[in-house]
Amino acid sequence: MEGITEGVNNININNNNNSDSYKKNRIQVSNTKKPLFFYVNLAKRYMQQHNEVELSALGMAIATVVTVAEILKNNGLAVEKKVMTSTVDIKDDSRGRPVQKAKIEIVLGKTANFDELMAAAAAEEGENGDVEEQTA
């Protein structure tokens, strides 16, 4: 868990030089860089800090964003506030012309019992950690 926390603290969020493109609660998801549950845990942390999180992805990473959102919703941690889809022009150096890519942005908010569920999960994790230490 410490590795995830360290990764969260050191994460860089890309800024596209638009004045509103930098949001403290936006996670730009890649389908190759990090494991799925890195994004799930990061989204939980962002919701703790900001009460909502915006998950954003292009192209093949869209499936990852949808999966992260569904995991959070199915576990009772998040409610869907907004889903936006669009296409963006990405410059493809190999072809020399812009290529259109699909883009999705999903805004999730905390559920009413988010804090209770997170506290219960933390307590359960603490109990499991103690058991492992005793048996090891």
Side-chain angles (χ1 to χ4, degrees), residues 20-110:
D20 67 337
S21 70
Y22 177 75
K23 292 183 181 178
K24 288 184 180 180
N25 65 336
R26 177 183 287 166
I27 301 172
Q28 294 178 320
V29 175
S30 162
N31 65 335
T32 56
K33 291 182 183 172
K34 301 282 183 191
L36 178 69
F37 275 88
F38 171 84
Y39 293 113
V40 172
N41 291 324
L42 184 60
K44 287 179 189 177
R45 185 163 173 166
Y46 275 35
M47 283 194 293
Q48 283 176 321
Q49 293 172 347
H50 304 287
N51 293 325
E52 69 176 31
V53 64
E54 181 180 313
L55 302 168
S56 174
L58 296 174
M60 301 296 281
I62 289 173
T64 304
V65 162
V66 171
T67 303
V68 168
E70 287 301 312
I71 288 169
L72 293 167
K73 285 169 32 184
N74 291 338
N75 288 332
L77 296 168
V79 290
E80 208 171 88
K81 287 187 164 184
K82 192 188 308 183
V83 177
M84 297 164 285
T85 60
S86 61
T87 54
V88 292
D89 289 331
I90 304 290
K91 186 177 178 186
D92 186 351
D93 293 331
S94 65
R95 297 184 195 168
R97 64 177 204 264
V99 176
Q100 286 199 323
K101 285 217 172 197
K103 179 179 182 178
I104 192 166
E105 293 172 289
I106 301 175
V107 179
L108 299 174
K110 282 179 166 183

